[in-house]
Amino acid sequence: MAYSTELADRIRERLSLVPDLEIREKKMFSGLSFLVNDKMCINVSHYNLMCRYHPDLEEEVSERTGFLPMMMKGKQLKGYCYVEPVGFQKQDDFEYWIKIGLDYNAIAKASKKK
């Protein structure tokens, strides 16, 4: 599984600034996933971010630079996207993606454990 370790370090460092988060890393989605409080929040997939956000933000996020819809079985998966590096190189843009991921994580339901 190849993914940007530099981007993973950047995410790791940013998440460490938020108090009271339980952060776990897991290899998945062809990269590295950051689970926050046992819920998938943000991933590194090759050189892209993969973000989970509130589906109500779909129109807003789809207009952001670097946005790529996440497709599964030929259908767009609402509330998930990939972001190309051009969309998070600037610190403000990086913060945007982290913030919407953490905001949704606070209300998202955890996957059922097997």
Side-chain angles (χ1 to χ4, degrees):
M1 242 178 271
Y3 60 87
S4 169
T5 56
E6 293 86 8
L7 181 54
D9 288 343
R10 191 174 174 196
I11 294 168
R12 195 177 289 117
E13 181 180 324
R14 174 58 182 83
L15 292 177
S16 74
L17 299 175
V18 182
D20 301 321
L21 290 185
E22 179 187 321
I23 302 165
R24 190 166 51 99
E25 298 178 19
K26 184 176 182 180
K27 291 185 178 180
M28 58 194 294
F29 297 111
S30 300
L32 184 66
S33 180
F34 290 85
L35 285 82
V36 175
N37 300 329
D38 281 328
K39 297 175 268 186
M40 198 280 293
C41 185
I42 196 157
N43 302 335
V44 180
S45 181
H46 304 286
Y47 291 96
N48 295 336
L49 287 176
M50 187 184 112
C51 300
R52 182 180 184 200
Y53 53 88
H54 198 292
D56 289 351
L57 296 177
E58 196 70 37
E59 186 175 330
E60 174 186 323
V61 301
S62 68
E63 295 174 0
R64 304 270 315 184
T65 299
F67 170 88
L68 295 171
M70 186 169 177
M71 305 298 287
M72 194 168 265
K73 297 182 181 178
K75 293 186 179 184
Q76 184 175 347
L77 193 57
K78 302 286 184 189
Y80 293 85
C81 73
Y82 291 103
V83 185
E84 295 176 306
V86 68
F88 59 82
Q89 286 177 335
K90 294 179 186 172
Q91 188 61 28
D92 286 349
D93 294 330
F94 180 74
E95 288 294 328
Y96 170 84
W97 294 108
I98 297 293
K99 181 181 181 328
I100 65 168
L102 289 173
D103 287 351
Y104 186 60
N105 185 269
I107 61 170
K109 292 183 180 179
S111 297
K112 293 180 182 179
K113 295 190 180 197
K114 293 180 181 180

